[in-house]
Amino acid sequence: MLIRPEQEQDHDAIAEVTAMAFAAMEHSNQNESAIVAALRDAGALAVSLVAVDKNDVIGHIALSPVTIDGEHQGWFGLGPLSVRPDRQGAGVGSALVRQGLAQIQAQGAAGCVLLGNPAFYRRFGFENDSALRFEGAPPRYFMRLSFGTSTPAGRVEFHSGFRCL
């Protein structure tokens, strides 16, 4: 498996993998592919990586800037993270998360937030923090990972691409 930046010819495969990955997810409203496209169209994909095996895209991760109390503070949002269902549980998602976090850190990120499964994301250091809030989601699923010694407080908003549908 190879992890590399997305290329234009990957866009259809990313949409397909994303749709497949979220198809059976009870919490999904099935707009994750549209979110990735909206972030791409807005130039808001700070990191967009694909996992490729034998020239097939089997996974994708997107990271984009977020605001905290309306200000950009060097924090990013992770998501969507997608792995083809027949490859889930084999380390593809973990590899994408590690590489994505490394890339935003290299870009000078102060931290990362996400809305996701605590059982999966805690292994990377993500934790709940009541000082950072994301309205409209159960707090236990909203998590953060600070790359420095301080963490801001306030209301987090993801890029408007997340409101595409």
Side-chain angles (χ1 to χ4, degrees):
M1 175 181 71
L2 168 72
I3 296 177
R4 62 165 171 75
E6 77 164 38
Q7 299 170 358
E8 189 171 345
Q9 64 266 24
D10 298 327
H11 294 182
D12 289 343
I14 290 169
E16 183 178 332
V17 166
T18 303
M20 287 189 303
F22 284 91
M25 299 279 182
E26 183 179 317
H27 65 275
S28 172
N29 58 10
Q30 306 305 306
N31 71 342
E32 290 82 7
S33 293
I35 290 169
V36 173
L39 292 171
R40 185 183 296 117
D41 291 347
L45 285 173
V47 173
S48 182
L49 302 173
V50 292
V52 179
D53 188 25
K54 298 178 184 167
N55 296 321
D56 291 328
V57 173
I58 60 170
H60 175 258
I61 189 170
L63 290 111
S64 56
V66 299
T67 59
I68 302 171
D69 284 342
E71 295 181 25
H72 292 282
Q73 298 185 28
W75 280 68
F76 291 80
L78 187 157
L81 169 65
S82 308
V83 177
R84 207 170 68 189
D86 66 326
R87 298 300 295 266
Q88 292 176 3
V92 176
S94 293
L96 284 164
V97 170
R98 284 187 194 94
Q99 185 64 32
L101 292 174
Q103 286 200 14
I104 61 170
Q105 279 187 283
Q107 293 176 17
C112 186
V113 294
L114 60 82
L115 190 61
N117 182 348
F120 178 74
Y121 288 104
R122 286 193 195 287
R123 70 183 77 171
F124 306 103
F126 283 91
E127 58 189 6
N128 301 103
D129 183 348
S130 61
L132 284 175
R133 301 174 315 282
F134 179 68
E135 296 173 9
R140 76 180 218 97
Y141 295 105
F142 183 68
M143 306 175 74
R144 62 102 174 137
L145 173 62
S146 180
F147 298 139
T149 56
S150 65
T151 301
R155 184 173 54 90
V156 174
E157 285 197 35
F158 287 81
H159 187 275
S160 62
F162 280 84
R163 297 185 296 271
C164 64
L165 295 177

